[in-house]
Amino acid sequence: MSESPRELETQLSVQPSSQPEPERQLQPPPLFQLPLPTQDPSTTHQLTQFQPELSELNPEHQHRAKPGWKNHQRLLLLLLGFSLCAAILGLIYYMHHNLQNKSNNRPGTETPCLSPACQWASDRLSMSDDPFTQPCDYFLFTCGSDRLSPDSGGRQRGQGISGHPQNQKETVVWPKRRAQSKEREDQGLKKDKILDRKTVLLQYLKELLESSTRPGSTAVQKAKGFYHSCLDIKSLETAGAEPFLELIQKLGGWAVSGQWNQTDFNSTLSLLMRDYATFPFFNLYVGRDPNEIARGTTKRYIQIDQPDLLIPIEWDSKTQKSKAKTQTLRPFLASCQRYLALLGALPSRSMIHVGTFISLSSELAVAATPLQYRLSKGQLYQRMTIKELQSQAPAIDWLGCLQAVFHPLPLSEDDDVLLHNLPYIVQMSHIIGKWLYKHDLRTSAPLHTYMVLNLLHTLMPALDSRFSETAGNLSVTLGNSDGVAPRWKQCVLETERGFDSVLRNLLSERTAHREIFIVQQAEEIIQNIFSSFKSKLHELKWTDQKSLQSVMKKVESLIPRLWTTKILSDAELDLLFSKVTVSTNSFFSNYVQLLSLWQKRRSKLLTERTEAADILSVTPLILGNELLFPMGMFVPPLFHPTYPRALNYGVIGFPIAKDILHLILPDIFSQSETVHVVGECVWTHYLTVTEKAGRGGVFSLSAAQQQEVWVQYSALQIALQAYHQSLKNHPSDTSLSGLSHTRLFLTSFSQVNCDSDPYREFMPLEPSFLITVICAKSDLCPTSLQCPNKTQQHLLQTC
């Protein structure tokens, strides 16, 4: 194993207790400081009487025997003293250790947290499964999600992976859990599940938008009005497709309806990008050049990339080309016909336009390539001037389009832009030229129809449910089973796109009365987690010293801190949104304004030198020499300044540590043998405890899976060590539901560790199972996690 039991014990500093600091650090005194045990008086008297008798009988013998007897006497007394001292020391240690464990397990030994936030958290915790009272199966069910319940029929982690233990067909019945599930459902808790960080943040912003505590500034009222108009489904259904048809007429009509004034291609394209944030043929971003970031340059550039094509495509690794998915062409064609039918097109006319739309889409698809391929070919961040780009791709009026999008910023043909797929841009220009210049104006309508259907896709959130249902049906046909997000979540996301600065102010006002405490506790968690992370790096067995030095140099150069930005005054916000008018019953018109706002915000990024905090960010990022943690990570109910520290560290500490490991060590597998050893050790625990060891068909972990297991196991160790460090600095910590310290930390972790991140697919077991591995070392946990019917558990070692 990577660490010995003693090393792991030192690493985690495990001595959880509710005792005050001086008593908690009490150590038995050294043996030489203990007084010798008092001898029994009768024994002393008998020895005194015995010695004169010996002297009278044989003086010479007395002279010879006296030293030997005294030596034996002293030896016996010394042995007796050592035995009694050892017994006393053992008793002291046992009582001290037992007192510590009892203080962690006995309800009411700590000061309970009675704040409203704690009362809510306590109620929630009491309705969740406690791993220390149900050690046999709790790790098979996490996050309170139906997808993991035995009778849900949902896909569990690992299903679909050949040989995975959870893929073995077994009949499993947990009557107690089913009863609990039914009880929770009856109490209305089924809808109130433990959620991932992003959803928790969106719910918090939802509360801010729905709050009616005070009217707020004009800008705040507009943001809330926009949000509520988004929720007004009835008005959307009543309006139908009419708002979109009216917009098409303002843009010059289109050939599908038979009324099109044959607008200029580049003029229409510029208009769609400027006013409607629609990019049919290429995408536009604003950002820095990574080659300059290392030199401290803050300049931002216009960045041009391939578009998000509507037609489903796939990559052929043999031909090194993309193509439209043949098996999806029929359902895609049907969805396009449905859209045109909803927009009033006659079936006899729509088939022609759909056919040319798919043909044009298929040609563009061939030129598109996946990100990994472009990265391997060095096609990202290729610098050239707008003039050079114009010569490479002449079908697009690049200067005119970019000036329209980034108005009123002055742009010239000598300005630099960054390309992320120049071969696509060149081929795209060739395709457009073929359709535009080799046909008369009547047959060039496919380019216009292509742009209109892309605009329809952009505006679909503001149209009636028939359009979203058509898109949803196609998504299901293509194998996407994620489902449609709740309407409130869509509305929060759309509101943030246009009113991010308003939401940032609302978030600040909500926390103003306790902002100092939030910042203090958040900063403490960040600093303690980062310190524990650095300790973990030194414990790894690196392939060579150079790898460790390289990583440590990067780590030591970083400054971790909470990411906060300047908050605008009400007057500044009102001025910023002074030209925005929000209608209470027309979400479509509100949404069109939002798209314009979104594009203006994109333009502003080009001249800004500081990075504005992303209000929807829930993961840290590296900016220059700073490791920034956004405020969105520290919102209720996952975090609250009145929570016990054990709860905050158990819920927030683990994902922070996991994020740091992923961010700073994206590929640690090849640099440390510890990753492989620990990953296999944890997996062995899983197979043994779930009684899968020795069965045929059990698959071995891939390198990516081993790394992710190591990351999450290490993140839990780091978070627990950071909490114990906090406990040393602040010995008094409150309790929740009668739990305190390590037990509260691990119990709260088990309830909320189910988090959505891009690495989740590589985790072959539920993260809450890691508690079982942590607790394989008995003194790391307040109570044993031994399962009566798992006979092999006592053989497990510490990973």
Side-chain angles (χ1 to χ4, degrees):
M1 300 304 160
S2 60
E3 304 103 346
S4 66
R6 181 172 297 275
E7 289 172 340
L8 186 58
E9 180 179 3
T10 303
Q11 168 197 342
L12 293 181
S13 306
V14 178
Q15 282 297 330
S17 173
S18 60
Q19 301 300 323
E21 185 67 15
E23 184 178 349
R24 235 170 31 89
Q25 294 184 338
L26 178 65
Q27 297 294 333
L31 181 62
F32 64 82
Q33 292 181 356
L34 287 177
L36 288 173
T38 304
Q39 293 178 346
D40 183 64
S42 62
T43 306
T44 306
H45 178 68
Q46 290 175 3
L47 289 174
T48 305
Q49 288 181 330
F50 187 63
Q51 289 174 355
E53 293 175 1
L54 290 175
S55 61
E56 291 174 3
L57 289 174
N58 193 343
E60 290 184 345
H61 179 75
Q62 174 196 9
H63 181 75
R64 293 192 305 268
K66 185 174 181 179
W69 172 249
K70 283 190 173 287
N71 288 339
H72 284 85
Q73 177 187 0
R74 290 171 183 170
L75 182 60
L76 288 171
L77 290 175
L78 188 61
L79 289 174
L80 180 61
F82 268 102
S83 300
L84 289 175
C85 288
I88 292 172
L89 284 173
L91 181 62
I92 291 174
Y93 177 79
Y94 173 79
M95 293 178 65
H96 178 65
H97 186 71
N98 192 48
L99 184 62
Q100 285 183 330
N101 281 338
K102 285 184 177 181
S103 68
N104 273 289
N105 295 313
R106 185 189 304 130
T109 59
E110 292 291 338
T111 303
C113 178
L114 301 177
S115 70
C118 282
Q119 291 176 7
W120 181 93
S122 181
D123 291 341
R124 186 57 181 266
L125 203 61
S126 64
M127 294 304 299
S128 303
D129 295 331
D130 182 358
F132 295 99
T133 58
Q134 293 180 310
C136 301
D137 56 5
Y138 80 91
F139 50 81
L140 298 177
F141 303 84
T142 58
C143 309
S145 173
D146 285 343
R147 70 181 179 86
L148 292 174
S149 63
D151 52 347
S152 68
R155 181 179 183 274
Q156 295 188 14
R157 176 75 51 76
Q159 287 187 354
I161 303 176
S162 176
H164 193 281
Q166 293 180 358
N167 240 3
Q168 308 293 334
K169 294 191 179 297
E170 299 178 275
T171 302
V172 185
V173 179
W174 290 276
K176 184 176 181 179
R177 283 192 175 273
R178 293 189 180 186
Q180 289 177 341
S181 178
K182 184 66 169 67
E183 179 182 353
R184 295 175 195 173
E185 182 176 346
D186 292 341
Q187 295 182 7
L189 292 176
K190 186 175 182 181
K191 297 179 181 179
D192 187 24
K193 304 183 191 312
I194 294 295
L195 305 168
D196 62 86
R197 286 179 281 174
K198 188 61 171 284
T199 303
V200 166
L201 177 59
L202 291 177
Q203 283 187 333
Y204 193 68
L205 295 176
K206 171 179 177 286
E207 294 176 8
L208 296 180
L209 289 169
E210 295 178 352
S211 172
S212 57
T213 53
R214 71 179 186 88
S217 66
T218 303
V220 170
Q221 294 177 30
K222 289 177 179 179
K224 291 184 176 181
F226 177 90
Y227 170 75
H228 286 290
S229 70
C230 177
L231 293 175
D232 187 5
I233 302 296
K234 184 178 180 180
S235 296
L236 287 178
E237 299 298 329
T238 302
E242 194 58 34
F244 184 74
L245 292 173
E246 292 177 359
L247 178 60
I248 292 177
Q249 293 306 312
K250 291 180 181 179
L251 296 176
W254 64 331
V256 174
S257 64
Q259 298 178 347
W260 178 46
N261 62 8
Q262 299 181 355
T263 52
D264 175 69
F265 166 77
N266 276 293
S267 298
T268 303
L269 179 61
S270 299
L271 192 61
L272 293 184
M273 293 193 298
R274 184 193 69 190
D275 294 340
Y276 305 103
T278 299
F279 304 90
F281 300 103
F282 53 88
N283 260 330
L284 291 182
Y285 305 104
V286 172
R288 295 184 176 92
D289 184 348
N291 299 317
E292 295 181 347
I293 292 178
R295 299 194 297 268
T297 304
T298 60
K299 183 178 179 180
R300 293 185 175 89
Y301 296 90
I302 298 172
Q303 308 196 23
I304 303 172
D305 200 356
Q306 65 187 36
D308 300 316
L309 296 170
L310 300 183
I311 189 170
I313 62 175
E314 60 184 349
W315 174 251
D316 190 329
S317 57
K318 292 183 178 180
T319 63
Q320 298 286 285
K321 290 184 178 295
S322 296
K323 62 178 181 179
K325 288 184 178 180
T326 307
Q327 64 272 26
T328 64
L329 286 179
R330 187 180 296 275
F332 181 66
L333 184 147
S335 67
C336 293
Q337 287 181 304
R338 173 63 174 163
Y339 290 139
L340 293 188
L342 293 175
L343 295 174
L346 298 175
S348 58
R349 297 177 60 87
S350 65
M351 191 59 196
I352 299 174
H353 293 285
V354 168
T356 53
F357 170 75
I358 292 179
S359 178
L360 175 56
S361 300
S362 299
E363 289 188 42
L364 293 172
V366 174
T369 53
L371 178 62
Q372 197 63 36
Y373 175 82
R374 287 179 277 152
L375 187 62
S376 66
K377 296 295 183 180
Q379 295 176 352
L380 303 182
Y381 300 101
Q382 290 184 264
R383 182 188 297 264
M384 62 174 56
T385 64
I386 298 176
K387 183 178 181 179
E388 292 171 335
L389 177 60
Q390 188 66 54
S391 65
Q392 294 264 14
I396 304 293
D397 177 12
W398 290 103
L399 183 59
C401 286
L402 294 178
Q403 285 177 334
V405 171
F406 293 98
H407 179 79
L409 299 180
L411 289 177
S412 71
E413 60 181 12
D414 295 324
D415 287 324
D416 287 336
V417 293
L418 301 180
L419 278 295
H420 295 292
N421 191 349
L422 181 58
Y424 167 84
I425 298 297
V426 172
Q427 183 64 17
M428 174 267 299
S429 174
H430 174 73
I431 292 170
I432 289 176
K434 183 183 70 172
W435 285 87
L436 186 61
Y437 300 119
K438 293 185 178 180
H439 301 277
D440 58 30
L441 291 177
R442 183 179 60 81
T443 57
S444 66
L447 288 173
H448 189 78
T449 299
Y450 183 88
M451 290 189 285
V452 170
L453 288 179
N454 273 267
L455 177 62
L456 174 67
H457 183 76
T458 301
L459 291 168
M460 203 171 292
L463 296 173
D464 68 85
S465 60
R466 297 173 300 170
F467 292 91
S468 57
E469 286 174 358
T470 303
N473 292 336
L474 176 62
S475 180
V476 171
T477 303
L478 298 178
N480 301 325
S481 57
D482 293 338
V484 180
R487 184 68 185 179
W488 71 264
K489 184 179 290 188
Q490 298 177 45
C491 292
V492 172
L493 290 170
E494 298 298 354
T495 305
E496 189 276 337
R497 290 175 68 186
F499 298 90
D500 64 316
S501 53
V502 174
L503 291 183
R504 196 179 297 117
N505 268 35
L506 288 175
L507 188 61
S508 175
E509 290 176 4
R510 181 73 170 263
T511 59
H513 66 285
R514 49 187 170 85
E515 187 171 358
I516 295 178
F517 301 103
I518 290 178
V519 171
Q520 287 178 345
Q521 285 212 31
E523 289 282 6
E524 179 203 293
I525 292 176
I526 291 170
Q527 296 299 330
N528 283 344
I529 292 290
F530 194 68
S531 176
S532 298
F533 161 72
K534 290 193 290 186
S535 298
K536 170 63 69 175
L537 293 181
H538 287 288
E539 296 168 8
L540 299 180
K541 294 181 179 179
W542 296 84
T543 54
D544 54 69
Q545 196 66 19
K546 186 178 179 180
S547 297
L548 173 61
Q549 291 174 353
S550 175
V551 171
M552 291 308 301
K553 181 180 179 181
K554 177 181 180 181
V555 170
E556 294 295 347
S557 68
L558 294 175
I559 303 173
R561 71 172 179 87
L562 194 64
W563 194 13
T564 55
T565 56
K566 177 187 175 184
I567 304 301
L568 299 177
S569 66
D570 286 354
E572 289 174 317
L573 278 180
D574 290 344
L575 180 62
L576 186 61
F577 294 94
S578 59
K579 296 182 179 180
V580 177
T581 57
V582 174
S583 172
T584 57
N585 57 1
S586 177
F587 180 59
F588 186 88
S589 63
N590 295 340
Y591 193 77
V592 168
Q593 289 188 83
L594 174 140
L595 295 176
S596 179
L597 284 173
W598 189 32
Q599 188 51 45
K600 288 178 181 177
R601 189 172 76 182
R602 187 196 304 252
S603 302
K604 191 176 180 182
L605 287 174
L606 199 58
T607 57
E608 290 181 343
R609 291 293 177 261
T610 58
E611 195 78 31
D614 181 2
I615 193 172
L616 292 182
S617 178
V618 290
T619 56
L621 76 157
I622 296 176
L623 194 60
N625 66 335
E626 291 187 313
L627 178 58
L628 302 176
F629 295 83
M631 278 295 297
M633 300 179 70
F634 301 92
V635 298
L638 296 184
F639 171 87
H640 199 275
T642 67
Y643 282 166
R645 280 183 166 82
L647 183 60
N648 279 333
Y649 275 88
V651 174
I652 295 295
F654 170 76
I656 288 179
K658 186 173 63 170
D659 290 339
I660 292 175
L661 288 166
H662 281 309
L663 191 61
I664 298 180
L665 303 174
D667 184 18
I668 185 62
F669 186 81
S670 61
Q671 302 177 55
S672 172
E673 63 183 64
T674 305
V675 177
H676 166 77
V677 173
V678 172
E680 286 299 321
C681 178
V682 173
W683 185 239
T684 301
H685 272 257
Y686 181 80
L687 296 179
T688 302
V689 173
T690 54
E691 297 182 333
K692 306 299 180 185
R695 297 192 182 185
V698 174
F699 75 101
S700 298
L701 298 184
S702 65
Q705 288 173 319
Q706 286 180 358
Q707 176 161 311
E708 186 59 24
V709 169
W710 173 81
V711 164
Q712 298 208 23
Y713 181 61
S714 298
L716 182 57
Q717 289 178 311
I718 290 170
L720 184 55
Q721 181 183 3
Y723 170 61
H724 285 151
Q725 181 60 46
S726 170
L727 202 57
K728 286 182 180 180
N729 299 332
H730 309 280
S732 58
D733 193 12
T734 55
S735 67
L736 207 65
S737 298
L739 308 177
S740 62
H741 298 168
T742 305
R743 180 164 182 175
L744 178 56
F745 173 94
L746 292 173
T747 302
S748 59
F749 159 77
S750 72
Q751 306 307 322
V752 295
N753 62 69
C754 200
D755 195 24
S756 60
D757 61 47
Y759 303 93
R760 183 165 171 76
E761 62 179 297
F762 299 113
M763 187 64 174
L765 46 88
E766 292 300 334
S768 58
F769 175 76
L770 299 174
I771 298 176
T772 300
V773 188
I774 286 283
C775 293
K777 186 168 178 58
S778 59
D779 60 347
L780 296 183
C781 296
T783 59
S784 173
L785 272 182
Q786 293 295 322
C787 188
N789 60 341
K790 303 292 190 298
T791 57
Q792 294 178 309
Q793 266 191 283
H794 67 281
L795 301 176
L796 297 175
Q797 298 179 358
T798 302
C799 294

